[in-house]
Each structure stands twice: as structure tokens, then as C-alpha cells.
Amino acid sequence: DGGITQSPKYLFRKEGQNVTLSCEQNLNHDAMYWYRQDPGQGLRLIYYSQIVNDFQKGDIAEGYSVSREKKESFPLTVTSAQKNPTAFYLCASSSQETNQPQHFGDGTRLSIL
Amino acid sequence: QKEVEQDPGPLSVPEGAIVSLNCTYSNSAFQYFMWYRQYSRKGPELLMYTYSSGNKEDGRFTAQVDKSSKYISLFIRDSQPSDSATYLCAMSVSGYQKVTFGTGTKLQVIP
């Protein structure tokens, strides 16, 4: 089954700690995205990548970092510089070739210990 | 003012009712319009997408775009309890890369 897998489903971060959220897709999509979802707010774009080894900041990139070493994978690191990391994080992917909307994984909920 | 406005609800309807979900937007350059359904603790699932104005129907779902009024709607006919979820509208100027999302409307269909 083709899809986007995010892990873990739940994650807890201690003060001063960096944590990495995993996102893997087997849809052969070239573009991948990370969003943050908070109650009462729309999805906000953190980072996106259109090709391997290249990525761009979204609207709220401060305190986050990403890498795109493989087409299938786009991990997100929430660094200690992100002072309010508690949120639901969503990974998405899309195919620019077929010009189709983004498809999403099932998210990772990050909380502060 | 947000670029995309969506009533957060909750909207409660009896089973079998016709549901109307709406979004308004301010950016007249938006051309691509999407509706996603999101169940609790899950990622958004793409329901329908349209380009420019007009209607699109898929089973019990109909998406409408009125660019002159900067208004989009999603209609759900014969609503079912399984339709209970949050519905997100989304739109973009060019393609599906830079997308602006509404905050979502929570729908509850009561058996």
C-alpha cells in the first residue's frame, strides 16, 4: 500500500533536548512538506523540499531543521531553540509531475515533559 | 484578517441531513481549491479538489467555487455519523505546493 508513514505517533521532549520526527513515503513523490497544527489555527508550513538535497523555509521555520538525503525521507528535528514545540506535526508529499494535491501522514503529537 | 476564513463550528446535524461547509478568502489570485477531512488524531485526507470556478461532484460530496464572491462550499448529502470529522478547506495560487489552509469546521452527525 502506498502512503506516508510518520513515526513515532507520540513523542515527549525534555527541556533543552532536540528530537527528530520521521517521515517516509513510498508514493514516489518528489515534494515533501512539514506542517504544524495547533488548536484553532490552520496548518502552518515549517519546511518543504521539492527535490533531494534541497529544501526551503516555510512560514515558521525558526527552531526547526530538516534534511532530504533520500527522495523517500524527510525527517524534521525540533531543536531546543523552539520554545513552544507542543503541537501536532504533519508530513505531506505531492507529485509535481502529475500536479496533484498534497497527501498527508497521520501525524506525530509532540509534548513537553 | 486571515487569508482564508472558516467557521470553526461545531456544526451538529441529524443523520441524513444535507450539510453545507463554507470558506471565504481574500486573495483573488487563488485558483486551486481543496477540501480535506480530518478525523481526530489523524492526518487530513483529501476529499475533493477543483481548479478555478464551478462545481464538482463525487458521490455524496459536491464542491462549489464562486470566485466572484471569493467563496467555496462543500455539500454533503445524506450525511452519516461516519462523516463526523473536521473539514479543512485549502487553496493555492499556482499548483499544490504553497497551500493556505483554513482552520477547519468540526462536524458532528447525530444518529
Side-chain angles (χ1 to χ4, degrees):
Chain A
D1 260 347
I4 301 170
T5 302
Q6 289 189 243
S7 61
K9 198 170 179 65
Y10 300 96
L11 188 57
F12 298 92
R13 194 192 90 169
K14 295 179 182 178
E15 291 288 340
Q17 187 181 43
N18 293 352
V19 291
T20 297
L21 285 59
S22 170
C23 177
E24 303 275 332
Q25 54 98 0
N26 61 5
L27 300 167
N28 199 33
H29 286 171
D30 35 20
M32 296 186 74
Y33 314 81
W34 274 105
Y35 292 91
R36 172 180 170 139
Q37 187 175 37
D38 295 281
Q41 298 198 44
L43 274 66
R44 292 184 290 168
L45 183 64
I46 304 172
Y47 268 99
Y48 65 103
S49 167
Q50 294 178 302
I51 55 172
V52 174
N53 292 324
D54 188 45
F55 47 83
Q56 286 78 40
K57 293 182 179 180
D59 301 318
I60 55 165
E62 187 174 345
Y64 299 97
S65 66
V66 293
S67 63
R68 185 90 186 275
E69 296 177 3
K70 298 187 299 182
K71 186 176 184 178
E72 302 79 21
S73 178
F74 192 39
L76 173 74
T77 296
V78 183
T79 74
S80 57
Q82 172 48 248
K83 297 306 177 190
N84 184 22
T86 297
F88 191 47
Y89 290 87
L90 288 159
C91 178
S93 70
S94 68
S95 169
Q96 296 176 90
E97 183 181 332
T98 60
N99 198 27
Q100 299 277 304
Q102 297 173 26
H103 291 265
F104 286 83
D106 273 341
T108 292
R109 185 163 300 278
L110 175 62
S111 303
I112 293 286
L113 276 180
Chain B
Q1 184 191 6
K2 291 182 180 176
E3 264 194 309
V4 178
E5 298 275 2
Q6 190 174 7
D7 188 327
L11 176 64
S12 292
V13 300
E15 183 175 353
I18 296 174
V19 175
S20 173
L21 302 164
N22 310 295
C23 286
T24 58
Y25 61 93
S26 57
N27 186 349
S28 58
F30 284 141
Q31 295 195 87
Y32 294 80
F33 303 94
M34 295 142 271
W35 285 96
Y36 287 86
R37 177 175 63 196
Q38 185 176 23
Y39 292 113
S40 182
R41 299 187 190 91
K42 293 287 191 178
E45 171 195 6
L46 179 67
L47 275 179
M48 300 187 72
Y49 60 101
T50 58
Y51 170 72
S52 196
S53 284
N55 294 2
K56 186 174 182 180
E57 190 173 317
D58 184 2
R60 296 186 296 113
F61 298 91
T62 299
Q64 279 187 356
V65 174
D66 183 349
K67 291 187 74 180
S68 61
S69 302
K70 298 194 190 73
Y71 188 88
I72 69 170
S73 301
L74 178 71
F75 297 96
I76 307 174
R77 288 182 297 282
D78 187 25
S79 56
Q80 302 295 310
S82 58
D83 294 328
S84 298
T86 296
Y87 290 79
L88 306 172
C89 65
M91 45 199 82
S92 66
V93 171
S94 174
Y96 297 104
Q97 278 71 56
K98 296 295 293 287
V99 177
T100 302
F101 288 84
T103 53
T105 298
K106 187 169 184 177
L107 171 67
Q108 189 172 28
V109 180
I110 301 166

